[in-house]
């Protein structure tokens, strides 16, 4: 799990967006983190102590003056315990206090003692957000080396107006927390990833495609982004998004449709890539001619034939162009003679590693959230991974390349 073993302290101040924080805590815990909560008194007007205690599995720290209980020095011990503090929502009031070193409640005293990374997600009415005092507080806090300040989002606000001031979505905060907690082992590296299926047009309304959903390729992109890489994702049509990663990492997404589009986009990004991971399920054949009008069924017609031409093998082309310092990784999805076929592709395409997917295993392959793969290397060695989430598979693949 991507946040396994991490200690996260969630600080909640008194804004309406506080009602979303139990979901943030749930997702952080689902990713493996241990989560404790500190709130201002006003926060508990929007979300109950019992809810926070139940989802976090810990007592909630709200009263710095409750001296005769186990929380009496928690404003000192919690910052020591935490690997990361997330303050969400951060109101205009709490931003102003934190920027000026005011420590007069459980949240601000804890923040004042926090020397490790802090992620702040402000949320307030547009006029409060735009006020000089708030802007100055945000700018002051943003300069501190341990602080990552998320921008407010544009949209409908609880007060009924539309403008800037919404707290970032919970998925964005989770992605930012993951980013803050991951060592930047790919900093300065350019990674090119292909993902998803291609669509080969028969006529303006029909195409040939395959069952790839893009989940493995997008998981690889996330694994590289959280490690600080500069990622270019060439993606076939997928119902997936990396929007939550886009605001704090260098990410270029190039959407393509056909194998020919994917070839062009991948080839032009390859020259500057340090690592290229070709995860897309590229069509091997494409209709030789695409009809300009919808093909009509003729009266009495009982069959139809589509003449197909082989597409260019992107992996093999890049394998020929590969420079010594570049790393090229491919995937192989096999239904029989798996190891033999994968080894042959590893060599013929001049890859540095091939990831063998088997359709034989339940929970592996297209559309699932899990995968069971074998990693094969040119020196003949191989590594069998158990059935794990595609995010964990992605981490394992990347760890082999660093
Ligand atoms: O030969 P096969 O299609 O099984 O090889 C799979 C590997 O080759 C994958 O990494 C896939 O992304 C890549 N490939 C490609 N261009 C093609 C076909 C496959 O890059 N036209």
């Amino acid at each position: 799990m991507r946040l396994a073993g991490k200690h996260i302290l969630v600080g909640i101040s008194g804004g309406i967006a506080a009602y979303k924080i139990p979901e943030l805590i749930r997702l952080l815990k689902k990713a493996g983190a241990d989560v404790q909560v500190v709130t201002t008194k006003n926060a508990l007007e929007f979300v109950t102590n019992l809810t926070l205690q139940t989802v976090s599995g810990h007592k909630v720290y709200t009263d710095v003056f409750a001296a005769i209980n186990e929380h009496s020095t928690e404003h000192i011990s919690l910052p020591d315990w935490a690997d990361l503090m997330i303050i969400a929502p951060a109101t205009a009031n709490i931003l102003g206090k934190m920027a000026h070193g005011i420590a007069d409640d459980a949240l601000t005293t804890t923040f004042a003692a926090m020397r490790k990374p802090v992620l702040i997600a402000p949320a307030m009415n547009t006029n409060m957000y735009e006020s000089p005092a708030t802007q100055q507080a945000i700018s002051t806090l943003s300069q501190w080396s341990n602080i990552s300040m998320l921008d407010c989002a544009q949209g409908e606000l609880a007060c009924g107006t539309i403008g800037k001031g919404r707290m970032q979505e919970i998925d964005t905060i989770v992605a930012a927390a993951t980013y803050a907690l991951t060592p930047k082992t790919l900093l300065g590296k350019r990674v090119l990833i292909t993902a998803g299926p291609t669509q080969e047009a028969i006529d303006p309304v029909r195409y040939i495609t395959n069952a790839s959903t893009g989940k493995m390729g997008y998981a690889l992109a996330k694994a590289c982004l959280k490690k600080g890489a500069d990622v270019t994702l060439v993606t076939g049509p997928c119902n997936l998004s990396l929007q939550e990663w886009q605001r704090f990492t260098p990410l270029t997404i190039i959407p393509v449709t056909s194998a020919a589009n994917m070839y062009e986009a991948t080839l032009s990004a390859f020259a500057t890539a340090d690592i290229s991971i070709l995860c897309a399920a590229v069509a091997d054949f494409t209709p030789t001619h695409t009809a300009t009008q919808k093909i009509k069924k003729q009266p009495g017609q009982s069959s139809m034939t589509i003449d197909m031409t082989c597409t260019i093998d992107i992996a093999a082309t890049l394998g020929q162009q590969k420079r010594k310092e570049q790393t090229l990784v491919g995937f192989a999805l096999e239904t029989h003679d798996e190891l033999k076929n994968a080894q042959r592709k590893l060599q013929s395409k001049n890859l540095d590693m091939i990831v063998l997917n088997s359709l034989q295993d339940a929970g592996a392959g297209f559309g699932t959230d899990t995968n069971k793969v074998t990693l094969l290397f040119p020196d003949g060695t191989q590594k069998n991974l158990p059935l794990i989430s595609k995010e964990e598979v992605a981490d394992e693949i990347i760890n082999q390349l660093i």
Side-chain angles (χ1 to χ4, degrees):
M1 287 192 284
R2 62 199 153 122
L3 294 177
K6 299 293 182 193
H7 292 171
I8 300 180
L9 180 59
V10 173
I12 312 173
S13 64
I16 177 66
Y19 84 90
K20 300 176 181 173
I21 302 307
E23 178 65 0
L24 171 66
I25 297 168
R26 192 185 71 77
L27 291 175
L28 293 171
K29 288 196 68 170
K30 195 174 158 209
D34 190 5
V35 181
Q36 296 215 55
V37 180
V38 52
T39 77
T40 63
K41 288 223 169 85
N42 286 341
L44 297 178
E45 300 288 333
F46 297 99
V47 58
T48 73
N49 191 318
L50 184 61
T51 307
L52 297 169
Q53 194 174 316
T54 308
V55 289
S56 69
H58 291 284
K59 282 199 165 175
V60 175
Y61 177 46
T62 55
D63 186 358
V64 75
F65 299 114
I68 321 293
N69 67 24
E70 69 260 45
H71 284 327
S72 57
T73 56
E74 300 241 330
H75 63 287
I76 303 301
S77 64
L78 279 177
D80 283 342
W81 170 87
D83 299 306
L84 171 74
M85 183 174 189
I86 302 174
I87 302 178
T91 58
N93 177 53
I94 216 78
L95 289 167
K97 283 187 185 179
M98 293 191 303
H100 292 93
I102 296 171
D104 64 352
D105 64 7
L107 176 47
T108 47
T109 47
T110 306
F111 171 76
M114 185 72 190
R115 298 274 66 84
K116 283 177 270 174
V118 180
L119 176 66
I120 301 179
M124 68 206 74
N125 156 276
T126 308
N127 290 335
M128 290 175 86
Y129 178 70
E130 287 173 353
S131 85
T134 306
Q135 287 303 312
Q136 213 165 49
I138 288 176
S139 137
T140 301
L141 290 164
S142 301
Q143 284 164 29
W144 299 4
S145 62
N146 65 326
I147 289 187
S148 307
M149 181 72 66
L150 287 176
D151 201 12
C152 276
Q154 192 89 17
E156 198 180 328
L157 302 174
C159 53
T161 57
I162 292 183
K164 201 161 181 183
R166 275 176 68 88
M167 188 175 75
Q168 286 295 343
E169 296 302 324
I170 296 301
D171 283 347
T172 303
I173 300 174
V174 174
T178 308
Y179 184 71
L181 284 167
T182 310
K184 300 291 168 279
T185 45
L186 285 177
L187 201 66
K189 296 278 181 207
R190 285 167 182 265
V191 183
L192 166 65
I193 297 169
T194 66
T198 61
Q199 293 177 351
E200 308 305 315
I202 298 168
D203 67 18
V205 296
R206 301 184 181 97
Y207 53 78
I208 297 169
T209 189
N210 58 63
S212 170
T213 57
K215 279 185 181 175
M216 193 62 238
Y218 279 64
L220 280 161
K222 285 184 198 176
C224 294
L225 289 167
K226 73 179 180 186
K227 291 179 166 68
D230 181 337
V231 174
T232 298
L233 178 70
V234 179
T235 173
C238 296
N239 222 346
L240 298 170
S241 160
L242 286 174
Q243 205 190 347
E244 71 270 26
W245 289 89
Q246 218 142 15
R247 57 197 79 245
F248 46 85
T249 49
L251 168 64
T252 308
I253 298 179
I254 307 175
V256 296
T257 308
S258 66
N261 297 156
M262 186 169 275
Y263 171 76
E264 278 166 35
T266 308
L267 203 65
S268 71
F270 180 67
T272 53
D274 298 297
I275 299 171
S276 300
I277 308 175
L278 306 180
C279 188
V282 189
D284 288 326
F285 309 100
T286 191
T288 307
H289 302 289
T290 302
T292 52
Q293 293 185 327
K294 185 181 171 191
I295 300 170
K296 292 279 182 212
K297 190 168 67 176
Q298 301 302 324
Q301 184 178 359
S302 62
S303 68
M304 85 99 97
T305 304
I306 301 170
D307 186 54
M308 307 273 278
T309 305
C310 285
T311 57
I312 302 174
D313 191 317
I314 305 168
T317 310
L318 301 191
Q320 281 167 8
Q321 296 189 2
K322 189 177 71 171
R323 300 189 302 273
K324 235 178 48 210
E325 71 279 11
Q326 288 182 302
T327 303
L328 183 60
V329 178
F331 274 68
L333 179 74
E334 303 295 333
T335 54
H336 61 281
D337 285 340
E338 287 121 323
L339 275 175
K340 227 170 86 191
N341 282 326
Q343 265 150 358
R344 184 179 45 76
K345 284 176 190 174
L346 177 72
Q347 275 173 7
S348 66
K349 300 187 191 216
N350 193 23
L351 306 172
D352 299 292
M353 176 167 93
I354 195 158
V355 183
L356 170 62
N357 272 292
S358 173
L359 279 187
Q360 314 284 1
D361 297 299
F366 290 132
T368 59
D369 288 325
T370 51
N371 211 356
K372 189 165 179 233
V373 303
T374 302
L375 311 180
L376 304 177
F377 302 90
D379 64 2
T381 55
Q382 70 180 63
K383 187 172 180 186
N384 297 305
L385 299 181
L387 184 71
I388 46 179
S389 71
K390 284 187 173 166
E391 290 194 0
E392 288 167 307
V393 172
D395 278 331
E396 288 279 351
I397 291 171
I398 303 304
N399 288 341
Q400 295 296 322
L401 308 174
I402 297 172

